[in-house]
Amino acid sequence: MINRSYRVDTGVHPTTADTLPFWLIYNTGFRFPLSSVPMIVLGVESSCDETGLALYDTERGLLSHALHSQVAMHEEYGGVVPELASRDHIRRALPLLEQTLDQAGIAKADIDAIAYTQGPGLAGALLVGSSVACSLGLALDKPVLGVHHLEGHLLSPLLASERPDFPFIALLVSGGHTQLMRVDGVGRYTLLGETLDDAAGEAFDKSAKLLGLGYPGGPAISRLAEFGDPTAYTLPRPMLHSKDFNFSFSGLKTAVLTVVKNHDEKVIANICEQDKANIARGFVDAIVDVLVAKCVNALRHTGLKRLVIAGGVGANKQLREALNAAAAKRKFRVFYPELEFCTDNGAMIAFAGAMRLEKNPALAVRDYAFNVRPRWPLDELEAA
Ligand code: KG4
Ligand code: ZN
């Protein structure tokens, strides 16, 4: 069992604090300073092709996390096969739970609340995570909370040792989303702009596919681009000079297609490695230029000096280098999640759940009827 002696500093009679679960204490009218009521939140992520479980302690930080990526399974199909994804989440969830408990050295009964990804994502995949979370909650008699996947990404840089203070500008760049947001607190998000067509990650993946690279294409095209000649192909920078914060990447993908088709050999398999690297470089330079320019504009427009990058594309090396250079030149700070928390994971869900429960203990209800929200715009999320 976990040592709970740290509850003594709560300012409430220790016996009470030690014997009552945290949601009961809140609901019976005791008022602690929020941060002094420790709780352990289990996070369950299953929105797409990663099964992630994690335990976050509001006092001690992240206790453990475990992840299974289905990339190898989907690779031969060139993308995620939803039915296979759901079945694999079923196989992985409970073993990963045991792994996170073992790593943290705690028992199931030590979990105070369970947070799961309620949406957006693949309906079947979301249903697996939510049913696992709600069944566990019911069996353990613990409250359960549905979390917005993108809020998990947005808050994931707060898991790093260098945490940004609110407010900040966030660039959310994942496989399904590209959004620029002003973030004033947990659940206080103002959308400044977003992609009008493909998401940044989607553009990476589709362009990588055109170059015959595997799935997911983002990391592969980024690695290849390192060997490319930046002067060989100058691809369009869509909406670079539009006076808003929106993006459009489908034209860039089409530009890659055109370059590939116009190529002498016609057939992608015959394009030499160096030329593939040159095309990859042309693509990466174009997308990075647009992302950086829009971030800089959003900072200038709002007068903020902190930028947070979240989502899978946030792991991109060239994007990080360009943002760091812009930050040094224009005197703003840029924060990234740890590399392992850029792509989907359970830690960000446990953390987002814990943040919401700390802000609003009334969310800690024992209602085990769940519904998933495969399409769930972030601006429909209530403030914490
Ligand atoms: O956030 P994420 O794991 O899943 C979604 O919620 O979509 O993002 C996955 C996306 C994929 O499109 C993948 O190709 C891209 O992030 N990605 C990268 C890199 N690592 C992952 N894109 C560019 N460079 C990377 N290093
Ligand atoms: Zn994601």
Side-chain angles (χ1 to χ4, degrees):
M1 293 288 283
I2 193 163
N3 175 4
R4 295 198 174 246
S5 57
Y6 52 80
R7 291 197 175 204
V8 173
D9 290 336
T10 54
V12 172
H13 192 284
T15 315
T16 314
D18 277 342
T19 51
L20 290 182
F22 77 93
W23 64 92
L24 193 55
I25 293 169
Y26 281 126
N27 292 340
T28 49
F30 286 96
R31 282 289 169 265
F32 296 164
L34 290 179
S35 58
S36 67
V37 183
M39 58 178 152
I40 295 177
V41 179
L42 170 71
V44 182
E45 156 63 28
S46 73
S47 65
C48 190
D49 58 348
E50 261 108 17
T51 323
L53 277 284
L55 289 159
Y56 182 82
D57 183 323
T58 53
E59 192 168 78
R60 295 183 294 161
L62 189 66
L63 300 182
S64 62
H65 71 102
L67 188 81
H68 175 77
S69 168
Q70 304 175 354
V71 161
M73 187 178 79
H74 297 295
E75 200 170 9
E76 63 176 295
Y77 304 98
V80 178
V81 183
E83 181 60 23
L84 294 183
S86 309
R87 290 181 196 196
D88 202 59
H89 287 307
I90 294 173
R91 280 193 289 273
R92 307 288 173 181
L94 292 182
L96 288 173
L97 170 65
E98 295 302 331
Q99 202 177 316
T100 45
L101 289 166
D102 283 355
Q103 271 171 24
I106 68 167
K108 285 192 191 80
D110 295 319
I111 296 169
D112 293 306
I114 301 166
Y116 66 92
T117 305
Q118 190 174 12
L122 301 171
L126 290 167
L127 278 168
V128 177
S130 49
S131 58
V132 165
C134 291
S135 314
L136 268 173
L138 179 64
L140 300 171
D141 194 20
K142 307 286 179 181
V144 176
L145 173 73
V147 165
H148 196 293
H149 180 79
L150 298 184
E151 179 166 69
H153 276 305
L154 264 191
L155 300 179
S156 62
L158 301 179
L159 277 166
S161 47
E162 259 194 288
R163 305 167 49 133
D165 292 326
F166 297 113
F168 53 75
I169 294 295
L171 173 69
L172 183 63
V173 266
S174 69
H177 296 84
T178 301
Q179 297 184 326
L180 256 175
M181 250 162 300
R182 180 191 164 109
V183 178
D184 286 283
V186 178
R188 296 174 59 203
Y189 312 127
T190 311
L191 184 67
L192 301 176
E194 62 186 333
T195 182
L196 304 179
D197 40 55
D198 292 354
E202 199 177 348
F204 268 96
D205 293 340
K206 287 178 176 170
S207 300
K209 202 169 184 175
L210 291 171
L211 290 173
L213 306 173
Y215 162 85
I221 200 169
S222 168
R223 275 194 301 275
L224 190 59
E226 289 191 57
F227 305 101
D229 174 358
T231 60
Y233 296 98
T234 303
L235 299 187
R237 272 96 170 124
M239 298 185 77
L240 182 66
H241 300 296
S242 69
K243 298 241 173 312
D244 55 23
F245 305 109
N246 291 330
F247 306 85
S248 165
F249 295 120
S250 73
L252 180 53
K253 168 202 66 196
T254 309
V256 173
L257 176 66
T258 308
V259 170
V260 169
K261 274 193 175 162
N262 287 346
H263 203 275
D264 287 348
E265 282 89 351
K266 301 271 189 234
V267 184
I268 185 67
N270 293 334
I271 295 181
C272 76
E273 281 307 307
Q274 184 56 55
D275 212 27
K276 268 195 207 175
N278 294 345
I279 301 170
R281 179 67 187 257
F283 166 79
V284 171
D285 283 355
I287 199 164
V288 164
D289 268 5
V290 175
L291 292 172
V292 173
K294 297 278 172 169
C295 289
V296 168
N297 286 349
L299 288 164
R300 196 184 296 139
H301 174 79
T302 56
L304 296 180
K305 291 279 174 202
R306 285 180 293 268
L307 175 69
V308 156
I309 308 298
V313 180
N316 183 265
K317 192 177 169 214
Q318 290 90 348
L319 178 63
R320 287 186 175 216
E321 283 169 1
L323 284 169
N324 291 343
K329 188 171 163 201
R330 297 173 187 276
K331 308 272 177 283
F332 62 86
R333 289 193 67 192
V334 55
F335 299 84
Y336 308 95
E338 303 287 352
L339 269 180
E340 60 184 333
F341 300 138
C342 278
T343 44
D344 293 348
N345 64 85
M348 67 184 194
I349 301 304
F351 181 71
M355 292 295 98
R356 283 202 161 252
L357 289 168
E358 275 202 324
K359 290 257 176 235
N360 184 3
L363 291 173
V365 289
R366 277 175 278 179
D367 176 0
Y368 306 115
F370 57 88
N371 68 329
V372 294
R373 302 183 67 174
R375 288 180 209 285
W376 186 7
L378 190 60
D379 50 13
E380 283 181 13
L381 187 62
E382 287 145 34

